[in-house]
Structures are given as C-alpha cells and as structure tokens.
Amino acid sequence: MLIYILTNAGIPSAISKIISEFVAVENYRSAKKTFKISRFLLFILGIVMAFTMFCISAPLTIHMNYGEAKYSVIALCPAILFTSVSSAYRGYFQGIRNMKPTAISQVLEQILNTVFTLLFAAIFIKYGVEVGCVGATMGTTIGSLASALYLIVIYKKNKESKVVNLDNDKNNVKHTNKQIVRKILKYSIPITLSVAILSAGTLIDSYNITSRLIAGG
C-alpha cells in the first residue's frame, strides 16, 4: 500500500488539475502535452517501483516477521505498474470532466479482483496456505490489468473524450515540457507526501503489533 501510494497518489491528481486548467482557457495543446508527459512519467515510475518492490520483497517480509509472504508480495509487483497506467488515464478523464470511464474501470477491476481472488485461492490452497495466498493475490493483479486495458481502449476509441481538436485552440500560450513537469511536481509532491505519511504510520503499527504478538507467544 505504501509503494502504491508513492506511485499513484500525487501525479493523477496533478494531471486532472492541470488539464482542467488548460481546457478551461481552451489551451488544448498544453492539455494534450500534459497528459502525454504524465502518462510517460507514471509508466516509468510504475516500472521503477514495481522492480523496487520485487527486490525488497524478501528482506521486507522477513523484517516484518512474515517471511512466508514473500511470494504474495512478488505477485503484487505487476499491479503497481498496471495501476500507474490506469491512474494516468483516470486523471486525464477527470480533467476533461468525464468520470464514466473511471467509474466503469473501477467496477470492472473490483469484479475481476473478487472473482479471480476466490478462484485462484480455491485452486492453489490445496498446495498449502502460502501458495493459496499467492493465488488470491493474483486476483488483484488481473483486476488492475483489466482496468488499465479498458481505459486505454476507451481513450483510443472514444474521440469525444480526447482533446484532439487543436484547430479550436484559442490560447496561443505554449508550455515547454520543462514547465509542465514543474507544474506536475508542484502539485503531486505535497499530495504524495501527506498521504504517504499516513500509510507509513500504518506500516509501522503493523510491524509493532506483529512483533509484540510474537514476543507474547
């Protein structure tokens, strides 16, 4: 959850805010550029954080006194990347005041998550509790993948949801990539830090509670 928040909490909110600002003043070129830059940033960030999560899965679970959960954490790594991609598109749709794709993708994600979590847990539990937990975790990854694919398809097919009519661009102010990245960081960093602090506190509580229960027998 902490890695998920560090990856997805701030930039999507920044995307929606910045795009809505540009659309409001009919600066469609900058709005489109903002989405493309943000999507690229989230894609790279998702890869980096998923790889980081994979690398620290063993030492983290051992330190948290849940060494047997290593493979469950690994099974969640792709979900970090998939949710990053979804977040980029959700931020974009929110910025152009179209919440329908976001709503449908979230419902789709949770339905598939529930179905495949129960299905894989039932299939793999016969090999042991640890393997059953890994199977259950795979439902989250499948749900996030389906959500990302749905949003990509909707973005490509539904031209009404795109800011593509550049001929109607009435605002001639051009923003460089550097300016847009600065705006994204300006909005996203404070949001990410404030939410991450709460999640970090929960992580510390989990460690303290588990270690004390183990110490108490």
Side-chain angles (χ1 to χ4, degrees):
M1 181 59 70
L2 178 61
I3 292 179
Y4 171 83
I5 288 173
L6 291 173
T7 310
N8 298 299
I11 295 181
S13 299
I15 295 173
S16 60
K17 177 172 176 56
I18 297 170
I19 288 180
S20 63
E21 289 177 359
F22 287 142
V23 171
V25 296
E26 299 182 333
N27 190 343
Y28 301 118
R29 293 181 186 274
S30 292
K32 188 175 182 181
K33 181 183 287 189
T34 297
F35 169 66
K36 289 184 175 181
I37 292 175
S38 301
R39 181 177 58 183
F40 176 76
L41 290 176
L42 276 169
F43 180 72
I44 298 300
L45 184 60
I47 292 176
V48 171
M49 297 303 281
F51 180 73
T52 301
M53 187 169 166
F54 175 82
C55 292
I56 68 173
S57 59
L60 176 65
T61 51
I62 292 173
H63 187 68
M64 294 290 290
N65 300 304
Y66 282 113
E68 64 274 17
K70 170 187 173 181
Y71 295 106
S72 294
V73 174
I74 292 175
L76 276 174
C77 292
I80 297 297
L81 173 59
F82 300 149
T83 53
S84 295
V85 175
S86 297
S87 295
Y89 286 93
R90 287 173 180 170
Y92 173 79
F93 284 121
Q94 183 175 343
I96 61 174
R97 297 180 296 180
N98 181 5
M99 295 300 295
K100 185 177 179 180
T102 296
I104 294 176
S105 69
Q106 289 177 331
V107 173
L108 175 66
E109 179 178 354
Q110 292 307 313
I111 290 175
L112 293 179
N113 186 358
T114 302
V115 171
F116 283 103
T117 292
L118 295 174
L119 177 63
F120 287 138
I123 292 174
F124 293 121
I125 192 65
K126 61 184 178 181
Y127 300 108
V129 175
E130 295 177 20
V131 181
C133 290
V134 174
T137 304
M138 291 169 61
T140 302
T141 300
I142 293 174
S144 62
L145 172 61
S147 175
L149 292 175
Y150 170 79
L151 289 167
I152 292 172
V153 170
I154 291 300
Y155 174 79
K156 290 183 176 181
K157 286 188 174 181
N158 191 357
K159 293 183 179 181
E160 293 179 359
S161 297
K162 293 185 180 182
V163 181
V164 295
N165 194 358
L166 301 181
D167 294 334
N168 293 330
D169 196 331
K170 298 179 180 179
N171 190 326
N172 294 321
V173 177
K174 295 182 179 180
H175 294 81
T176 64
N177 293 348
K178 188 175 182 179
Q179 289 176 320
I180 291 176
V181 170
R182 283 181 176 177
K183 288 175 72 70
I184 293 172
L185 295 178
K186 175 184 176 182
Y187 291 130
S188 63
I189 290 178
I191 296 173
T192 300
L193 290 178
S194 61
V195 180
I197 289 173
L198 296 175
S199 181
T202 303
L203 183 66
I204 294 171
D205 286 341
S206 299
Y207 170 74
N208 288 335
I209 292 171
T210 304
S211 61
R212 291 302 89 205
L213 286 173
I214 293 174

